[in-house]
Amino acid sequence: METAEKNSALGYGKPPWVFKGSALYQLHLVKAETARAFIPKEFKLVEAFGYTLGGFFLANYEDSPAGNFDELVVIAGIVWNPPTSCAWAARVLVNSDKACVHGRKDVGLPSQVANFTKSLTAVPGTKRGRFGGFLNKIGMADSPDKEKNCMDIRVKEMNNHTAMDLCSINLTAAAMAAPQKDTKKWTGPAVKMSLPSFSGRTEYNPHLLKYSCQIECRLRAVPPAKVSGPSALSTNHETTSERGSPETGFATGDSRDNKRNLTISVMLSKPILALEFSCLKMKVEAPTVVPQ
């Protein structure tokens, strides 16, 4: 493999690039037909019964080469890369021009600038959901009797200075919803992990790339966040997008609107597990070019 360029286009400096903050990693069952619209044809999708494992990674970085910014990585699905597998990002939304250019040029991600509008409200305690009893028994759920902070994050993608609604994420139950004053709250065990991913094949970086995120954090399971689409969404979620250019795999022309609608479909798919990453420290090495 050939190592990608060492210096970032906008002053990220030499890798590894370090990001610190908190995140929510939510896994969804995504229709294989939807995921294939984003994935280059030479990859085999990891699927069963017509579904693959996608979802999203929602992060707030307090310290990074681009400063403080928010990021929403929409994960289309998992592709096979013997002897393991890698995630494929359908779309990456960031509220930082610097982070957007870095993602596009240095990491080969389909990055877009977006607005993250956050509203915080207090809601009374509710009855335990179907996961609440189990999480409470192992000390991973908040008390249902206590008042909780609810944060709604509305994500709008910027397109030619026009803000287009993408989704709204409700973090009522997830601990990432608001700063916690209770320092005795259990945040989960300290863990280290590696999240391998493929990227590239975009109009900004036509190469096929592979990179990994080395993560250190406190990890715990939380009830899944609720995701809603834009109110004006009238797209049939069963629709399949055009594949774009067979050479590069990125969307061209009218297919961009379809890709955006399919991105919303991924966000609205069925959640199966949500993991909170607190005290997050993530190191990203420079991607390597995958030989043809």
Side-chain angles (χ1 to χ4, degrees):
M1 292 187 180
E2 176 187 351
T3 303
E5 185 177 353
K6 293 295 184 180
N7 291 316
S8 171
L10 281 183
Y12 258 53
K14 293 183 178 181
W17 302 297
V18 179
F19 302 80
K20 297 179 181 179
S22 58
L24 178 71
Y25 190 16
Q26 187 155 305
L27 301 176
H28 288 198
L29 286 177
V30 178
K31 288 188 176 180
E33 183 182 19
T34 300
R36 287 195 193 99
F38 299 100
I39 296 170
K41 61 182 181 180
E42 64 263 37
F43 280 122
K44 181 179 180 181
L45 187 68
V46 178
E47 61 177 297
F49 306 105
Y51 289 87
T52 185
L53 198 60
F56 65 87
F57 182 82
L58 176 66
N60 173 252
Y61 302 117
E62 301 170 353
D63 183 24
S64 80
N68 189 326
F69 71 95
D70 296 297
E71 178 182 54
L72 173 64
V73 181
V74 184
I75 302 169
I78 304 296
V79 296
W80 181 238
N81 178 42
T84 181
S85 57
C86 291
W88 187 274
R91 216 174 194 86
V92 178
L93 292 308
V94 291
N95 56 357
S96 164
D97 290 334
K98 186 175 181 178
C100 180
V101 174
H102 168 74
R104 288 175 174 178
K105 294 187 176 181
D106 297 337
V107 193
L109 293 171
S111 297
Q112 298 287 339
V113 175
N115 286 337
F116 288 70
T117 304
K118 302 176 183 179
S119 57
L120 185 65
T121 56
V123 294
T126 57
K127 295 181 180 180
R128 293 188 179 95
R130 57 177 179 171
F131 300 109
F134 172 72
L135 294 176
N136 184 68
K137 288 179 181 179
I138 60 177
M140 300 173 73
D142 296 322
S143 170
D145 300 323
K146 293 182 179 179
E147 187 179 79
K148 298 179 181 179
N149 288 322
C150 166
M151 178 179 285
D152 277 304
I153 302 177
R154 189 176 182 184
V155 183
K156 291 186 176 182
E157 182 178 331
M158 301 302 298
N159 186 7
N160 295 326
H161 304 290
T162 300
M164 303 175 65
D165 274 328
L166 187 75
C167 66
S168 181
I169 304 172
N170 182 280
L171 298 171
T172 305
M176 200 184 151
Q180 300 293 329
K181 296 181 180 179
D182 184 6
T183 57
K184 296 182 180 180
K185 179 180 176 182
W186 190 70
T187 56
V191 299
K192 295 182 179 180
M193 67 180 74
S194 176
L195 298 179
S197 299
F198 281 117
S199 61
R201 293 297 177 84
T202 70
E203 58 187 304
Y204 303 101
N205 194 325
H207 300 291
L208 181 61
L209 306 174
K210 184 179 180 181
Y211 69 99
S212 64
C213 302
Q214 306 299 325
I215 291 178
E216 298 178 23
C217 67
R218 291 277 180 177
L219 179 68
R220 71 170 189 145
V222 294
K226 295 180 181 178
V227 181
S228 57
S231 57
L233 180 64
S234 58
T235 304
N236 182 351
H237 292 158
E238 304 291 332
T239 302
T240 302
S241 168
E242 300 176 14
R243 290 299 300 269
S245 168
E247 297 295 329
T248 63
F250 60 79
T252 58
D254 295 337
S255 67
R256 289 181 176 177
D257 287 338
N258 284 334
K259 289 291 182 69
R260 179 177 174 275
N261 290 333
L262 288 173
T263 298
I264 296 172
S265 295
V266 174
M267 293 296 297
L268 297 180
S269 55
K270 183 177 179 58
I272 57 173
L273 177 66
L275 299 172
E276 178 203 67
F277 294 2
S278 58
C279 305
L280 171 67
K281 181 179 180 181
M282 181 171 69
K283 292 183 180 181
V284 182
E285 295 286 351
T288 55
V289 177
V290 179
Q292 294 295 325

